Amino acid sequence: MSTLQFHSQPQSRFESDIRFASSTSCSFRPRRNFTLPRRFRPRPLSLHSHSSTSLRPLPRAFSNDPAVTEKPSICTADELHYVPLPNSDWRLALWRYHPPPQAPPRNHPLLLLSGLGTNAIGYDLSPESSFARYMSGQGFDTWILEFRGAGLSVQASNLKELKQSADAVSEQIEAIAKSVANEVSPQKQPTDVSGYLSDSEFYFLREDSIGIGTAWDEAKLVAELTEIFMRLSERLSGFLSESQSRLISTKLLDQISKLLEDSQLSERFEEVRIKLANVLEKQQNSVIASQIRDLSQRLVNIIEGGQRSVSPQFIDIQERLSSTIEDFQKQLDLIVKYDWDFDHYLEEDVPAAMEYIRAQTKPKDGKLLAIGHSMGGILLYAMLSRCGSEGREPRLKAVVTMASALDYRCSKPLKVLLPLADPAQALNVPAVPFGTLLAAAYPLASQPPYVLGWLNDLISAEDMMHPELLEKLVLNNFCTIPTKLIMQLTSAFGDKGLCDRSGKLSYRDHLNKSSVPVLAIAGDQDLICPPEAVEETAKLFPENLVTYKLFGEPHGPHYAHYDLVGGRLAMEQVYPCIVQFLSQYD
């Protein structure tokens, strides 16, 4: 393993030239209502569709559909593309940055992958602090992928729905920032878009109450209970495993049991409960469906009988049951809405984006350059390992990882995620509204008496990021994270390091078979991904193919987790190092 040697060059000329204003078109057709310095003006865009020589059908972007005239305001790229995921209504957002005409010619497009629960904004914080713009200015056709559930990636079946959803996401991101500036609680901001929790979802995750519900409606309750048990019997159409289905059905029945404190009713309920449990274990068919409905009716009849009791504990029992069922339905909906893990990104999101970029850019050897920060780099490691284990070509020319590792046992801050590795806990909290929670906590971290000041140290070292950019990063860059995704990532705290969802394949095991050059970058004060974790992962590659680079000096400057991408010295120190490395293989 080698250490990359390089000399930093002053970037004043680049900084003075790279002032830009973003286009407001939607990928599709840039609107030229701004002026760039001549050296950085984008070349005219070709809007014709590209044919493919691939034997399998390529993902088709919405940019080939009837023109959508404007991008969401939050997007500062030259173009915004959408790539559909196979067998899904997810449309992944790809931010594209064109090289200026005077930039050196390059042979391979560049894909940027973001970290856990983050969007593209971290790579493009401002004209003066934009990793994406810097790389395009160096001649790389640069693309940022936003994974499902992050940023402008949305669920939509047509262009109209897509634009409406993307605009809603953009407005929500901006609303959160404004609410913090106006000292309004960010969770009060209304939203119902992918990547963010609606009011009802947010408060459902915060509370586990069974408060007073709506008036009693026997037919409605029978129908709702039947639907819940049918969905559980069908394993939520594949979203839940058999053990998870058993856990969550037990939880519902436990909640109902608490409502029935009368011993006689409890005995009757237990009889129905046992039968329901047996039925839910069986394969779904019309007979089972009929049995589930009959048992749901019997359950409602038991509750109704309790309501007629004069005992005080049965006052409003029907309403409380209605509320319990309503909360439970919300939980099932959240489980379905946030049903993806790390391997979904690895097997579906990244390949779809790479395939689309190849079709658009047509590199002669069919390969891409790739850079990943945090989880983005972990995905690149996992891809190289998976290809090594299967004897496949990853179709990557070279890879750069920043603050990424496959073994996080030395990361103390991330160990707070370990409780979510419990499947039962994951079903209780299907998603973590990380962006909303971080935005709510930010005033306590950035204003006296700095009660949560330690949060800033996890993101950026002292004096390494401009306060306005740090605020933009915190308020605009983070999204809701599925607990299912966190559960798989917590395997990185085990002896085998990060594993696939089955737990059988360790992504550390096959990196020695990789033939792709790798530059592994670490920050000296990165508490989330400590430099020793980055170096240990780098040692797993063939020594002649890997370069490890640590940024930061004993007496400063120092680099924390996000300083490698958006720190004030990144453009002078980190970016040129990356360009020098990639240029060797481009």
Side-chain angles (χ1 to χ4, degrees), residues 224-239:
E224 288 176 344
L225 277 172
T226 301
E227 179 186 0
I228 287 176
F229 290 127
M230 289 280 285
R231 292 173 73 186
L232 289 171
S233 179
E234 295 169 346
R235 314 282 185 247
L236 283 178
S237 300
F239 289 103

Side-chain angles (χ1 to χ4, degrees), residues 430-444:
V432 178
F434 186 59
T436 304
L437 295 174
L438 197 58
Y442 182 70
L444 298 176

Side-chain angles (χ1 to χ4, degrees), residues 28-202:
F28 323 157
R29 196 178 301 276
R31 190 173 67 190
R32 312 212 190 281
N33 59 350
F34 64 96
T35 301
L36 282 173
R38 184 175 298 276
R39 290 178 63 242
F40 290 90
R41 290 179 189 170
R43 57 178 175 267
L45 303 180
S46 172
L47 296 179
H48 66 276
S49 60
H50 298 270
S51 60
S52 169
T53 57
S54 175
L55 295 178
R56 57 178 177 168
L58 294 172
R60 181 167 175 263
F62 273 94
S63 55
N64 293 328
D65 285 339
V68 172
T69 56
E70 293 191 357
K71 296 179 304 182
S73 58
I74 205 72
C75 180
T76 51
D78 295 326
E79 298 176 3
L80 177 63
H81 293 246
Y82 276 99
V83 183
L85 280 180
N87 306 315
S88 169
D89 58 355
W90 276 106
R91 272 41 181 179
L92 306 182
L94 277 169
W95 297 34
R96 187 180 191 179
Y97 300 78
H98 282 283
Q102 290 79 12
R106 302 289 181 178
N107 298 315
H108 299 89
L110 173 63
L111 172 62
L112 306 183
L113 301 179
S114 302
L116 174 65
T118 61
N119 54 39
I121 293 174
Y123 281 125
D124 192 9
L125 282 172
S126 76
E128 297 78 19
S129 182
S130 173
F131 181 63
R133 285 287 172 188
Y134 183 96
M135 297 307 291
S136 67
Q138 295 294 317
F140 296 98
D141 187 352
T142 304
W143 303 69
I144 308 174
L145 170 64
E146 293 187 312
F147 302 108
R148 71 183 79 182
L152 296 176
S153 291
V154 297
Q155 290 176 295
S157 58
N158 56 57
L159 190 63
K160 181 179 179 181
E161 286 184 9
L162 185 148
K163 188 172 189 318
Q164 290 175 343
S165 297
D167 286 341
V169 172
S170 181
E171 292 170 3
Q172 170 64 12
I173 293 174
E174 294 173 334
I176 288 177
K178 290 179 181 177
S179 69
V180 172
N182 297 329
E183 297 184 350
V184 177
S185 178
Q187 67 262 29
K188 300 291 186 180
Q189 297 296 331
T191 178
D192 189 20
V193 293
S194 301
Y196 295 87
L197 294 177
S198 66
D199 282 348
S200 60
E201 291 170 338
F202 183 83

Side-chain angles (χ1 to χ4, degrees), residues 125-126 442 465-476:
L125 282 172
S126 76
Y442 182 70
M465 191 174 289
H466 191 283
E468 290 183 3
L469 295 183
L470 178 60
E471 179 176 300
K472 182 176 181 180
L473 181 73
V474 171
L475 300 183
N476 293 352

Side-chain angles (χ1 to χ4, degrees), residues 17 67 133 154 169 188 205 221-222 225 227 243 259 282-283 291 328 367 380 382 425 449 465 518 577:
D17 284 341
R133 285 287 172 188
V154 297
V169 172
K188 300 291 186 180
L205 289 177
L221 281 180
V222 171
L225 277 172
E227 179 186 0
S243 60
L259 300 177
K282 299 177 181 178
Q283 191 69 28
Q291 291 178 351
F328 199 78
K367 294 184 178 181
L380 293 174
Q425 180 65 18
M465 191 174 289
V518 173
C577 173

Side-chain angles (χ1 to χ4, degrees), residues 17 67 142 161 200 215 253 282 285 287 321 340 348 354 379 389 399 407 480 536:
D17 284 341
T142 304
E161 286 184 9
S200 60
L253 293 173
K282 299 177 181 178
N285 56 44
V287 175
L321 176 63
W340 64 86
E348 299 176 12
M354 291 178 63
L379 279 164
S389 69
V399 161
D407 186 333
T480 295
E536 286 304 310

